Amino acid sequence: MKLNKYAEASFADAELTPEAAAIVEKLKLQAENLFETRALLCAEAVLVTLNEAFDGSLSEEQAINLGSTFCMGVGSAGCMCGALAGGLASVGMFTGKGRLATSNAHARECGKDLHDAFVRNHKTTCCRTLTRNFKEDAAKHFAQCTMLTGNVTELAARIIIAERCGVISEKTARKPLSKAHVLGMRVGNIFRILRKKWAAGCR
């Protein structure tokens, strides 16, 4: 008898070859780095990492924009974990058929696979519940979300690799960012925005 309806093993839990396991670990660390340095938020980090690693159909800008509304439990609503939502979008990108009048039942099964694996690991998908023990501790809250971002990236990557029958990309993971590097990027972006506003005002 199953202990609960999420107890069944899945592609997300399947054993990987050493080569595939090493790549999944790199992707997990990459997503965590993007979040931990505040370069991106949870869903954005998951989507950017998986889209890039598996040659998805999105540009980096599109991946960030797609993930932006999922972050912080869907726009700070505290609903579904943003990292999980980003993982679901990523799995759909690689398992859906992308054609009108065509069943995407298999993509939905893969999405449920990711959902169930996440629940097995964390007991719930609710952002508010996942972080309620850290309301008064910003550092622990941030560490929890970093961990969830990495875990969803790992689970989703396992499903995508299984879908590809173990075939994995030879692309090299991007170099880790530092907080100083991200701060420099933010300052540069602010200057670009101000320059555009100044140029528009001079016309």
Side-chain angles (χ1 to χ4, degrees):
M1 183 177 69
K2 292 181 184 177
L3 295 176
N4 60 61
K5 61 183 176 180
Y6 305 117
E8 188 174 332
S10 67
F11 280 140
D13 305 310
E15 188 173 347
L16 298 174
T17 65
E19 182 185 12
I23 287 178
V24 168
E25 180 65 18
K26 284 181 182 177
L27 297 180
K28 172 188 170 186
L29 293 175
Q30 178 175 309
E32 288 178 345
N33 174 255
L34 288 171
F35 182 84
E36 197 167 26
T37 57
R38 293 177 168 79
L40 296 172
L41 294 182
C42 52
E44 299 164 348
V46 174
L47 265 161
V48 166
T49 297
L50 296 174
N51 177 64
E52 183 180 83
F54 295 106
D55 296 316
S57 57
L58 304 176
S59 67
E60 181 174 89
E61 180 181 6
Q62 289 170 330
I64 293 171
N65 290 345
L66 177 60
S68 62
T69 59
F70 301 140
C71 298
M72 301 174 73
V74 187
S76 300
C79 294
M80 177 183 287
C81 168
L84 176 58
L88 289 167
S90 301
V91 168
M93 178 165 51
F94 293 106
T95 60
K97 294 180 180 176
R99 294 188 297 275
L100 293 174
T102 303
S103 172
N104 266 315
H106 179 65
R108 292 193 293 275
E109 289 174 5
C110 291
K112 185 176 183 300
D113 194 359
L114 175 58
H115 168 276
D116 292 357
F118 186 92
V119 172
R120 284 195 298 276
N121 287 350
H122 308 293
K123 311 304 179 190
T124 181
T125 64
C126 176
C127 175
R128 192 180 297 108
T129 304
L130 288 163
T131 58
R132 67 183 172 190
N133 293 330
F134 312 113
K135 275 186 176 181
E136 308 304 322
D137 192 325
K140 287 184 178 178
H141 187 158
F142 190 73
Q144 168 83 342
C145 292
T146 301
M147 180 275 293
L148 292 171
T149 298
N151 184 239
V152 170
T153 301
E154 176 185 359
L155 295 173
R158 285 172 168 271
I159 292 170
I160 295 166
I161 288 171
E163 279 295 297
R164 296 183 169 194
C165 300
V167 177
I168 47 182
S169 173
E170 297 296 325
K171 292 180 72 173
T172 305
R174 63 170 70 195
K175 292 181 180 179
L177 298 173
S178 67
K179 289 182 179 178
H181 186 183
V182 173
L183 178 60
M185 292 165 66
R186 288 189 182 280
V187 171
N189 287 337
I190 290 170
F191 275 115
R192 275 189 288 275
I193 291 168
L194 291 175
R195 190 162 52 242
K196 283 183 180 179
K197 287 184 177 179
W198 178 82
C202 291
R203 290 174 186 171

